[in-house]
Amino acid sequence: MSGSAVLLQFLNGLASASSLFLVAAGLSLIFGVTRIVNFAHGSLFMLGMYLAVALAPHAGFWWSVPLAALAVGALGALIEALLLRRLYAAPELMQLLATFALVLILRDAALWAWGPEDLLGPRAPGLDGAVRIAGSRFPAYDLFIIGCGPLVLGALWLLLRRTRWGTLVRAATQDREMAGALGVDARRLFGGVFALGALLAGLGGALQIPREPATLAVDLQVISDAFVVVVVGGLGSIPGAFLAALLIGEIKAFCIGLGYSEFTLAVEFVVMAVVLVLRPWGLLGRAPAPVRGPGAHEPPLALPSRSALGALAAVALGLCAVPLLSGGYALVLLTDILLFALFAVSLHFLMGPGGMLSFGHAAYFGLGAYGAGLLLLKGGAPMAAALLAAPLLALLAALVFGWFCVRLSGVYLAMLTLAFAQIAWSVVHQWNAFTGGSNGLIGIWPDGWLAGRTAYYYVTLGACVAGIAAMWRVLYAPFGYALRAGRDSPLRADAIGIDVRAQQWAGFVFAGLFAGIAGALYAFSKGSISPETLSVPRSVDGLVMVLLGGLHTLTGPVWGAALFIWLQDSLSRGFDYWRAAIGAVIVLLVVAAPGGLGGLLKARSAR
Amino acid sequence: MRPARLVACAAALLCGAAQAQAQAVRIGELNSYKTFPAFLEPYKKGWQLALEEVNAAGGVNGRPLEVISREDGGTPGEAVRVAEELLARERVAMLMGTFASHVGLAVANLAARRKVVFVAAEPLTDKIVWENGNRYTFRLRPSTYMQVAMLVPEAARLKKRRWAIVVPNYEYGQSAADSFRKLLRAAQPDAQFVAEQAPALGKIDAGAVVQALADARPDAIFSALFAADLQKFVREGNLRGLFRGTAVFNLLAGEPEYLDTLHAETPAGWWVTGYPWRQIDTPAHRAFLAAYRARWHEDPRLGSVVGYAALHTVANALRRAGGTDGEKLIAALEGLRMSTPFGPIEYRALDHQSTMGAYVGQLAQRNGEGVMVNWHFADGADYLPPDDVVRALRKE
């Protein structure tokens, strides 16, 4: 690279860093104060883009930006007041589920309002040309964007440091309960912060329209980037987010400048993994105040009653009888439900009793699936051997990734699992010769005695019931008790001689292994697998299943998986806006049953 | 109308409907409508129009045709489940549809496993008819290889030495780049490739990519970008002057789905493959255009043509087979000749690829909108590799 090329790529990096920061700032603010993992932040960004594109022909581009930002901010206030406010008393992660439902609803709403076509916005009047820098043309608007980042950073700094409202926000960021005890009205504070965060998302979106078209897919693209920036910077630290955006923006620009554009697939996740391993609370984050999270409040697991066990056995027996009644599609659907129930229970094992939130559990599911495919197609292993040995690949990955992950806690841990999952995904996606690249592996079918739908259903049923039972049983074994002790009170667990980290590591590997079993069964039921088996949406699906079912009951994830797959299957048939419909069902459930389906059942049986 | 008569009418209608359903030939259609709505909404309108035409003309073999359409979720796993549902519960005679290559390949593989004929309408991957081809799968659209081959003669004619490549980082982009390098080297041995960029699909960092390409000082650029990536690339390239004095060849950029979004940014002079629907003046296309506009009150996109031709493929195969037997359908589709809005095509017995072509031309701007000029129709049959090469790839 010549000197001028270095300078220009540096400027390009600054421009993308500024754009990244604008999205991440709002997310960081919201998370810092309300502890809400706001999945819908990318959707708010997307709405900002669409609104600005729609307003620009009437109001002009420069007016459309503040108008769109204000509109999105108002929507944020509405969302907080109507939906999230009802959930502050609910288990923390239910808010995550609610914002996930909003993603589904907002995307379909945008599709309905603006149609499917990508909308390229106007160039910014007055800044529609390029300026000469070091002999090359550089867009004038990009210079403006470069200035916007520090400007917003400065404004936020002033707001948080120099106003009374900002002082209260910082107090709540540090210690919510203490702030509440001192008479700060948390509701109003949270509402204001959420609206401000949404406004920043809308502003970020509106400012992007001269650089990129408004598309429906932008919501999920933006949200993962924004999360990475927030976590690398340190949760709740706005200057940290700025620094992280700068780091990631520049690394990406120079990857491209040096001709390694393939690395941009996962480079931000590599950066995040490295930062979190070296600095467990991000670049500028601080160790959080002692956790008074859900773990501490959770009632201990009681042994299931005789009647509950009987009911579960009856369900399993009923499932055994299904092939006698129907040989067709019911078996295909039930096979899927069983697989995902096993996957969801393994994730629940990690999140609930293990106390380790994971955003990347699909990595182990996907690696189990790829293990099966690779052993069968590349290794020439017989089917039974491939099916049995495949989960070992997931186990191996969980051993390595878990070793790093258990050194962190809370959302940092979750984001490190996400980073490893994305790195694994990008390897699978890029390694054409071995994993088949983006097309994946094709032709992974069971042979001989397992070829029929019924036979495969019975094998899946057996494996899933056994796997789920094993995981539940382990929770009442000494290992399970030690795991829960470590979650509820690490200090006391340590004091009585439990090696908390070792227990967590073992739990991580255990959960990974069972996800791998689900993945291997999945591969043979579908005949082909592609990198999406270990992608973020798959991990999110798992989270949704667990949360729908309820985090604090054992059987919840099973019902959650069944409901989610069934909803997808039945609503997507012949109904155009089925994503929004699923979102609406989730919102209703979250509001009506904050404890999830399992919580509902429990409440009924307790009556 | 008196109540009694009304009831009688309704009863007759219901009976008629029930009878028609009992007799109808059922086709299972699945596609990623929510993942790629810009292409697939016109596609759906295309096959719906064709379905109405087929049924208005008396259906196939004396039976009406019925399409059971499903969302495939955009992932291979869900698509396979949906296809299983269509086969097991709806008892469809054939499968049709899919968009993304990995989904198409997964459904094709399932089709072979369940021994049911699958007309892959849209997936572009070469593998679906070659490396991973199977007896049961037929593909309508010209593949990545074919569309690259259609651009290469123009590219070689310009005698540009220094080439840069930019493609989205997944199989379509990679195989487009590979085919282009191979075919151009064969046509013009002194061509050099001085830069290659493979940004993640949908996430191109356009400023940095344009700068990196400009730094390599290419005489010409080959691109396989489309949709949002293409829009970002075009705007940044225009702003930074990348396209001045540089010839650009861009697969698919002339398709209305992508071209119409560029408006005043449309770069003049680019060589593209696409569909200049306003200017195609053949009887077959005129008839299609009139029917489409009359039915939907909007202009067709390329997706409309693909959906339209895919459903007519299904109908013609059923007619030629005289029934829904799988083996007879394969025999009927192998060598099936039919007309489409793009002219006559044939499904090759050799590899089950149709010879549907594409329009090759240059981009220009008229009244702030993008159009194709200097275009000609490239018949797909002329841009396929020799038969022995295909046979070697297709190890059946």
Side-chain angles (χ1 to χ4, degrees):
Chain A
M1 283 175 90
S2 65
S4 70
V6 170
L7 174 66
L8 279 154
Q9 290 299 13
F10 179 71
L11 288 175
N12 287 328
L14 284 183
S16 23
S18 232
S19 313
L20 263 179
F21 171 70
L22 288 177
V23 204
L27 191 67
S28 182
L29 198 63
I30 291 175
F31 184 87
V33 179
T34 63
R35 294 275 177 268
I36 292 178
V37 179
N38 181 20
F39 259 53
H41 205 70
S43 308
L44 296 171
F45 176 91
M46 174 193 76
L47 279 186
M49 291 185 96
Y50 272 104
L51 282 170
V53 171
L55 289 169
H58 310 292
F61 168 74
W62 292 109
W63 279 109
S64 75
V65 171
L67 287 176
L70 283 174
V72 175
L75 178 70
L78 213 63
I79 289 172
E80 198 277 338
L82 295 181
L83 179 61
L84 299 178
R85 192 166 289 180
R86 294 168 191 276
L87 299 175
Y88 287 133
E92 248 177 22
L93 288 166
M94 289 319 264
Q95 296 143 7
L96 184 155
L97 186 59
T99 58
F100 171 77
L102 287 176
V103 172
L104 299 177
I105 294 171
L106 290 178
R107 185 186 278 205
D108 264 8
L111 175 65
W112 174 79
W114 288 291
E117 210 160 73
D118 302 337
L119 301 177
L120 187 59
R123 293 190 188 183
L127 294 177
D128 52 357
V131 291
R132 276 213 171 265
I133 296 177
S136 291
R137 290 156 56 90
F138 189 80
Y141 187 75
D142 284 16
L143 288 177
F144 169 75
I145 284 283
I146 290 175
C148 277
L151 215 64
V152 169
L153 176 66
L156 282 176
W157 189 86
L158 282 178
L159 183 70
L160 291 176
R161 297 277 153 176
R162 290 280 181 270
T163 65
R164 181 178 154 71
W165 187 79
T167 311
L168 296 181
V169 166
R170 278 189 296 132
T173 309
Q174 285 263 302
D175 193 328
R176 280 158 75 177
E177 283 176 31
M178 185 59 82
L182 293 174
V184 177
D185 182 355
R187 277 181 153 203
R188 283 182 55 188
L189 199 63
F190 284 15
V193 165
F194 198 88
L196 179 62
L199 183 139
L200 284 173
L203 179 72
L207 282 174
Q208 273 307 299
I209 64 161
R211 287 162 50 87
E212 56 179 298
T215 70
L216 295 168
V218 85
D219 52 358
L220 291 181
Q221 283 167 16
V222 162
I223 191 65
S224 73
D225 287 354
F227 266 123
V228 168
V229 167
V230 168
V231 167
V232 169
L235 289 170
S237 164
I238 308 250
F242 187 76
L243 203 62
L246 212 60
L247 187 68
I248 288 168
E250 289 299 344
I251 289 178
K252 272 193 169 178
F254 281 97
C255 271
I256 294 168
L258 292 169
Y260 299 109
S261 54
E262 290 87 352
F263 287 164
T264 54
L265 211 54
V267 69
E268 66 260 51
F269 295 98
V270 175
V271 170
M272 179 162 76
V274 170
V275 167
L276 287 183
V277 167
L278 297 178
R279 291 185 64 92
W281 292 291
L283 292 174
L284 296 186
R286 272 182 292 186
V291 189
R292 291 190 285 259
H297 301 303
E298 198 174 334
L301 278 178
L303 277 169
S305 64
R306 219 166 258 276
S307 60
L309 283 176
L312 285 175
V315 169
L317 272 178
L319 285 171
C320 286
V322 171
L324 305 176
L325 306 169
S326 157
Y329 180 60
L331 293 187
V332 176
L333 188 62
L334 276 175
T335 303
D336 261 21
I337 288 179
L338 285 166
L339 289 173
F340 282 107
L342 180 61
F343 175 56
V345 170
S346 78
L347 178 59
H348 173 260
F349 183 89
L350 196 61
M351 287 169 62
M356 291 172 277
L357 178 58
S358 170
F359 289 162
H361 202 52
Y364 313 102
F365 180 85
L367 286 174
Y370 268 91
L374 290 170
L375 282 170
L376 188 81
L377 299 179
K378 305 272 167 178
M383 174 206 65
L387 190 57
L388 287 174
L392 294 180
L393 185 62
L395 178 114
L396 207 66
L399 262 174
V400 178
F401 297 164
W403 191 85
F404 291 102
C405 290
V406 298
R407 262 134 249 274
L408 308 182
S409 61
V411 172
Y412 292 103
L413 190 162
M415 290 302 284
L416 191 58
T417 62
L418 174 70
F420 283 127
Q422 279 298 86
I423 292 167
W425 171 84
S426 62
V427 168
V428 167
H429 181 274
Q430 204 69 50
W431 199 353
N432 285 320
F434 191 57
T435 61
S438 60
N439 277 345
L441 297 171
I442 292 144
I444 313 161
W445 292 106
D447 55 20
W449 59 279
L450 252 184
R453 282 185 189 129
T454 311
Y456 201 78
Y457 170 75
Y458 275 122
V459 167
T460 310
L461 179 63
C464 292
V465 168
I468 290 170
M471 276 187 280
W472 285 346
R473 176 64 189 82
V474 161
L475 289 178
Y476 297 100
F479 169 46
Y481 284 109
L483 202 59
R484 282 190 276 144
R487 172 199 65 185
D488 290 342
S489 182
L491 276 181
R492 288 181 205 174
D494 195 51
I496 57 170
I498 296 173
D499 184 345
V500 173
R501 208 168 263 175
Q503 297 294 338
Q504 284 183 325
W505 192 24
F508 198 98
V509 173
F510 191 71
L513 173 68
F514 281 90
I517 295 174
L521 288 165
Y522 178 83
F524 276 106
S525 78
K526 299 293 181 187
S528 8
I529 46 170
S530 72
E532 52 90 23
T533 47
L534 31 72
S535 63
V536 179
R538 174 84 51 198
S539 294
V540 172
D541 282 356
L543 270 179
V544 170
M545 290 171 195
V546 170
L547 295 175
L548 267 182
L551 193 55
H552 300 316
T553 54
L554 283 190
T555 57
V558 175
W559 316 134
L563 177 73
F564 190 65
I565 300 281
W566 178 79
L567 273 180
Q568 262 188 352
D569 182 69
S570 55
L571 287 181
S572 70
R573 194 174 303 143
F575 182 61
D576 280 352
Y577 292 99
W578 58 274
R579 274 187 216 261
I582 291 182
V585 171
I586 295 178
V587 166
L588 283 179
L589 261 175
V590 166
V591 172
L597 293 174
L600 269 186
L601 287 178
K602 212 175 184 179
R604 279 194 80 134
S605 62
R607 220 172 268 160
Chain B
M1 213 185 268
R2 268 188 227 127
R5 266 176 80 183
L6 196 72
V7 169
C9 262
L13 267 175
L14 276 176
C15 283
Q19 219 168 17
Q21 260 178 2
Q23 293 174 347
V25 180
R26 309 180 118 198
I27 303 300
E29 196 279 338
L30 67 163
N31 231 318
S32 317
Y33 289 104
K34 280 285 152 156
T35 320
F36 304 101
F39 196 97
L40 292 175
E41 288 193 1
Y43 159 89
K44 187 170 204 168
K45 288 177 174 159
W47 68 249
Q48 284 175 335
L49 172 65
L51 179 66
E52 288 162 13
E53 287 178 4
V54 168
N55 283 335
V60 289
N61 309 328
R63 297 162 66 184
L65 202 57
E66 184 187 356
V67 173
I68 296 159
S69 175
R70 295 278 188 263
E71 162 70 44
D72 71 15
T75 65
E78 246 180 279
V80 164
R81 185 175 76 221
V82 167
E84 293 263 35
E85 189 251 348
L86 287 168
L87 295 173
R89 189 189 282 169
E90 304 292 348
R91 310 229 165 257
V92 298
M94 289 169 79
L95 291 172
M96 159 187 145
T98 73
F99 185 95
S101 294
H102 60 313
V103 178
L105 285 166
V107 174
N109 194 249
L110 177 82
R113 174 103 176 155
R114 301 273 178 253
K115 300 201 186 323
V116 57
V117 172
F118 168 47
V119 176
E122 168 61 26
L124 290 179
T125 179
D126 302 328
K127 295 200 163 98
I128 203 167
V129 290
W130 295 345
E131 287 92 334
N132 295 102
N134 64 57
R135 288 189 69 218
Y136 293 87
T137 302
F138 294 79
R139 192 250 305 275
L140 172 65
R141 272 200 80 179
S143 63
T144 310
Y145 175 90
M146 291 161 76
Q147 301 208 37
V148 171
M150 290 170 190
L151 284 178
V152 165
E154 296 298 339
R157 208 171 46 77
L158 296 183
K159 300 237 179 309
K160 301 278 189 188
R161 290 275 304 268
R162 296 170 63 81
W163 282 84
I165 291 181
V166 52
V167 294
N169 183 8
Y170 75 110
E171 199 260 354
Y172 151 76
Q174 291 151 1
S175 74
D178 289 347
S179 300
F180 185 76
R181 263 193 300 260
K182 207 174 75 195
L183 291 171
L184 187 70
R185 279 229 173 88
Q188 184 197 336
D190 70 342
Q192 296 170 11
F193 295 95
V194 294
E196 177 155 354
Q197 291 283 331
L201 175 64
K203 295 185 78 174
I204 188 173
D205 198 339
V209 166
V210 165
Q211 187 62 44
L213 291 179
D215 287 341
R217 310 205 177 285
D219 304 323
I221 295 170
F222 172 76
S223 154
L225 300 175
F226 62 98
D229 285 336
L230 176 67
Q231 297 175 43
K232 285 189 249 182
F233 180 65
V234 165
R235 174 158 282 175
E236 286 290 335
N238 282 338
L239 274 168
R240 294 171 191 243
L242 174 67
F243 310 135
R244 280 192 200 153
T246 312
V248 181
F249 288 75
N250 202 127
L251 279 187
L252 316 184
E255 298 178 0
E257 282 83 345
Y258 311 127
L259 178 56
D260 288 358
T261 60
L262 295 177
H263 304 291
E265 295 285 346
T266 310
W270 280 26
W271 286 95
V272 297
T273 60
Y275 171 38
W277 59 270
R278 279 185 191 85
Q279 310 156 52
I280 302 171
D281 202 24
T282 60
H285 189 263
R286 267 202 308 271
F288 165 75
L289 185 61
Y292 192 87
R293 279 178 160 164
R295 176 66 182 83
W296 299 111
H297 309 290
E298 64 177 48
D299 298 323
R301 308 294 174 88
L302 185 61
S304 320
V305 178
V306 172
Y308 183 83
L311 195 104
H312 274 303
T313 299
V314 165
N316 286 329
L318 287 164
R319 280 190 198 109
R320 197 169 176 210
T324 57
D325 177 70
E327 289 302 313
K328 282 188 185 147
L329 279 169
I330 293 174
L333 270 161
E334 287 185 341
L336 172 73
R337 288 162 194 273
M338 57 179 273
S339 81
T340 71
F342 285 7
I345 63 166
E346 179 186 345
Y347 282 89
R348 309 200 317 164
L350 174 68
D351 59 0
H352 295 186
Q353 169 68 42
S354 99
T355 61
M356 187 182 194
Y359 294 82
V360 177
Q362 290 185 282
L363 296 184
Q365 245 185 72
R366 295 238 172 93
N367 308 324
E369 297 297 326
V371 292
M372 274 175 78
V373 294
N374 289 338
W375 53 263
H376 64 273
F377 181 66
D379 189 338
D382 303 335
Y383 297 93
L384 282 153
D387 289 0
D388 52 329
V389 174
V390 170
R391 261 187 221 106
L393 285 170
R394 199 178 154 90
K395 27 182 197 248
E396 249 191 309

